[in-house]
Amino acid sequence: MGHDFQFEQGQSFGEWLHKEMWETVDFEDAPWAIDRIRRVENRLQADRAAASRLTVEIPWLEEVTAFTAPGRYIYFSRRLYELCATDEQVAFVVSHEIAHHDLGHVALFHGWTDKIVRLPGATLFALFFHGLERLVYGPQKECEADRYGLDLCAAAGYEGVRCLEIFDILEQRALYIGDLDMVYGPDVESDDELDENAGWTTKAQIWAWQKRRGYLPIRDRRQMLKKHFESKHSDDLPAHPTKNA
């Protein structure tokens, strides 16, 4: 399930990680939070057999993050979850993590088992994961997960434009902590550094930036997804209201 594997005899990595998380941090159990996350995960996975569905857990981590690993669990930090005002915002985060499973990305964790199982607790794992994602996934696979996740949201009937509002939250958070680089990338004036038609100097600039930061600028990431959605799901876009003559 979910490219899970045994790291020692009879011990599944995904189940080991879940047990470690439960032993070291609290998990959200308020009815409003659980009802919403189950509603979203069930809608996104409505066409999947019960045995192949992923389950979303909400650990009380201070990091504004979500991550997944081999196994059947997605971890959506309580700090990020409380910032999401709508089902659409939650759906994009969850669908992005589902994408890492469906696209086979989590299988790449296999070579990191020895390092991960030595970590003393789930909080350190969450922090370690930020750095690990840069090595294991990289910007290309994160872009793939973004596009796949947005398509999954659209297939589940979520409004794509509203799903992309999650990037407003991420941008506000980055600006709050003073990380302008995370928002704008190498060119403050451009939100199209990821465009396939961008000039070679722009592509070289964003390539170097990605290698240094390990992830994509928020505004470029949002712009890329906006164009992807418009090209692939133009029939799903809300009609513009016509002005009265």
Side-chain angles (χ1 to χ4, degrees):
M1 171 61 193
H3 300 282
D4 205 355
F5 52 85
Q6 291 188 349
F7 65 93
E8 60 184 43
Q9 188 64 34
Q11 185 117 14
S12 156
F13 178 79
E15 294 304 317
W16 169 86
L17 176 61
H18 188 251
K19 180 175 178 291
E20 288 291 307
M21 293 283 288
W22 272 90
E23 288 182 351
T24 53
V25 296
D26 293 326
F27 278 71
E28 179 61 79
D29 60 3
W32 71 267
I34 300 303
D35 288 348
R36 180 170 73 163
I37 203 65
R38 296 293 170 254
R39 179 171 67 244
V40 170
E41 73 176 37
N42 288 335
R43 182 169 170 178
L44 288 170
Q45 302 178 96
D47 61 345
R48 300 174 191 238
S52 64
R53 291 187 181 188
L54 298 167
T55 299
V56 186
E57 304 274 26
I58 309 172
W60 278 80
L61 297 172
E62 286 300 313
E63 291 290 308
V64 175
T65 187
F67 59 89
T68 191
R72 59 193 179 97
Y73 295 102
I74 291 169
Y75 301 97
F76 196 138
S77 81
R78 180 59 167 77
R79 184 61 69 199
L80 176 58
Y81 192 68
E82 70 188 29
L83 295 175
C84 296
T86 67
D87 280 12
E88 287 83 1
Q89 294 163 9
V90 172
F92 182 80
V93 175
V94 173
S95 65
H96 176 97
E97 301 306 329
I98 291 175
H100 284 311
H101 285 265
D102 288 0
L103 297 174
H105 297 167
V106 295
L108 298 174
F109 276 97
H110 197 288
W112 290 88
T113 301
D114 291 343
K115 295 179 178 63
I116 294 173
V117 298
R118 293 195 189 106
L119 292 173
T123 300
L124 280 182
F125 175 80
L127 296 174
F128 175 73
F129 191 79
H130 286 293
L132 187 58
E133 279 185 315
R134 300 175 193 178
L135 294 171
V136 174
Y137 294 161
Q140 181 177 350
K141 286 183 172 53
E142 292 294 347
C143 282
E144 291 173 359
D146 274 349
R147 290 189 290 265
Y148 186 100
L150 188 58
D151 291 343
L152 190 61
C153 287
Y158 288 109
E159 187 177 327
V161 174
R162 297 194 67 191
C163 291
L164 295 183
E165 291 172 356
I166 186 64
F167 291 102
D168 297 330
I169 294 171
L170 298 178
E171 178 174 321
Q172 290 168 11
R173 175 70 179 179
L175 293 174
Y176 176 76
I177 64 176
D179 194 343
L180 303 182
D181 202 30
M182 182 187 294
V183 176
Y184 301 110
D187 187 350
V188 174
E189 300 299 324
S190 174
D191 294 341
D192 284 312
E193 291 158 315
L194 299 174
D195 191 279
E196 61 182 10
N197 297 315
W200 72 266
T201 54
T202 298
K203 290 181 178 179
Q205 192 177 36
I206 193 65
W207 178 86
W209 186 92
Q210 289 174 350
K211 293 294 285 185
R212 177 169 58 86
R213 293 297 300 251
Y215 50 80
L216 307 174
I218 292 171
R219 290 201 171 181
D220 292 273
R221 190 176 166 193
R222 176 171 47 199
Q223 183 71 357
M224 175 197 69
L225 282 170
K226 182 174 179 290
K227 289 184 176 181
H228 171 77
F229 190 82
E230 289 173 350
S231 65
K232 192 168 182 179
H233 305 283
S234 57
D235 292 341
D236 299 329
L237 291 171
H240 294 289
T242 56
K243 295 183 179 179
N244 293 328

